[in-house]
Amino acid sequence: QVQLVESGGGLVQAGDSLTLSCSASGRSIRALIMGWFRRAPGKEHEFVAAITPGGGRTTYSDFVKGHATISSDSAKNTVYLRMNSLNPEDTAVYYCAASNVLVGLPEDPKYYAYWGQGTQVTISS
């Protein structure tokens, strides 16, 4: 069983940066694809970014390309999501997720078996 705990959310102003962390336990992230999703009020889960087990490959949704970076630290068994130039449309609960379906970098949440509890990110204008 994999447990995921997100941290780093909060209230920031438009234009600010924020780094979210996802600490994993129960399995090494070297054996998992790690992803970030978000869910805004009234909307479905939305893919944000994902990273391969070795951290060598990443993928991003179109709306965060250029202003977000996903990274991992296998020694800490932790994945990060750094977001820059935040705007109010980025307001959502951000979730860390893990997939043991090691084919490509899935963007569909159905391929992720393990989820954290989420961390609220609120951007004020």
Side-chain angles (χ1 to χ4, degrees):
Q1 192 73 2
V2 177
Q3 291 81 41
L4 304 172
V5 179
E6 304 96 335
S7 61
L11 173 64
V12 298
Q13 294 188 330
D16 283 353
S17 300
L18 196 66
T19 298
L20 305 179
S21 300
C22 172
S23 177
S25 60
R27 195 178 299 177
S28 171
I29 61 172
R30 293 191 191 95
L32 299 163
I33 288 173
M34 301 298 296
W36 285 96
F37 291 79
R38 70 184 189 185
R39 187 167 186 171
K43 294 189 176 181
E44 299 291 322
H45 275 91
E46 193 173 38
F47 173 76
V48 178
I51 189 167
T52 51
R57 198 157 59 93
T58 58
T59 189
Y60 299 90
S61 63
D62 287 342
F63 60 78
V64 296
K65 273 181 187 173
H67 81 98
T69 303
I70 186 171
S71 62
S72 62
D73 185 337
S74 56
K76 296 182 178 179
N77 222 34
T78 299
V79 177
Y80 305 95
L81 181 68
R82 170 77 173 177
M83 297 182 290
N84 304 310
S85 302
L86 288 161
N87 62 71
E89 289 69 42
D90 293 316
T91 294
V93 178
Y94 283 73
Y95 297 89
C96 176
S99 172
N100 51 17
V101 179
L102 301 183
V103 177
L105 279 170
E107 299 183 9
D108 192 325
K110 73 180 181 184
Y111 291 106
Y112 291 81
Y114 309 103
W115 292 80
Q117 81 289 349
T119 185
Q120 177 71 47
V121 174
T122 304
I123 316 302
S124 64
S125 57

